[in-house]
Amino acid sequence: MKTIVSMMTAAAILSSAPRVVQAQSHNHVIQTPQEAQWGPAPPMLPPGAQIAVLAGDPSKSVPYAVRLKFPASYAIPAHSHPTDEHVVVLSGALTFGMGDALNKSAAANKTLAVGGFALMPAQMNHFAYTTGQARDGAVLNGS
């Protein structure tokens, strides 16, 4: 099972990925979910995730949008970004928490289902994870 999550992620994470699939347009993008071009996520994420760049260039300090697919029981360790991160869950569920280490039992963790939105300000340490019950899904983000 996969949960698809789209995130505005930091250029620092994505710039080290040599084979990130990137949108080629500098003008406009009109794209259905089926038209997204998927590839392996950058090596800064644990193995198993996939990425589709929707617009912009994630290796530069400019606005961009990506979709990420995460498998069930997937965990993203604590990290921060040099820019704000916007996340909207289109299907499935994703749990977020704050802090310097991944802590699935923290009382402040919050699970977002379809339509849920998260904004992680620049330099804020956070983590995310899916559960074994995650369904197929997608997240589309904007800036």
Side-chain angles (χ1 to χ4, degrees):
M1 292 186 164
K2 298 247 183 210
T3 296
I4 303 170
V5 177
S6 196
M7 297 183 159
M8 296 296 286
T9 56
I13 289 177
L14 297 176
S15 63
S16 63
R19 298 193 66 195
V20 171
V21 180
Q22 295 187 4
Q24 298 299 312
S25 174
H26 297 288
N27 297 318
H28 68 276
V29 176
I30 301 172
Q31 183 182 84
T32 66
Q34 296 77 16
E35 293 171 317
Q37 296 180 24
W38 293 97
M44 299 302 288
L45 290 173
Q50 294 182 335
I51 188 171
V53 177
L54 303 176
D57 185 345
S59 68
K60 297 180 181 171
S61 293
V62 297
Y64 63 89
V66 299
R67 287 186 179 174
L68 292 169
K69 287 184 186 181
F70 300 132
S73 302
Y74 186 80
I76 301 170
H79 63 285
S80 65
H81 303 279
T83 59
D84 289 354
E85 177 182 49
H86 299 85
V87 179
V88 177
V89 178
L90 296 180
S91 64
L94 187 63
T95 300
F96 288 94
M98 304 302 153
D100 295 332
L102 180 96
N103 181 355
K104 291 184 179 182
S105 61
N109 291 354
K110 187 164 188 174
T111 300
L112 300 178
V114 175
F117 172 75
L119 168 62
M120 303 302 175
Q123 308 306 322
M124 174 182 263
N125 284 345
H126 61 281
F127 53 86
Y129 58 92
T130 63
T131 66
Q133 292 79 34
R135 346 177 267 282
D136 287 345
V139 172
L140 174 65
N141 51 318
S143 56

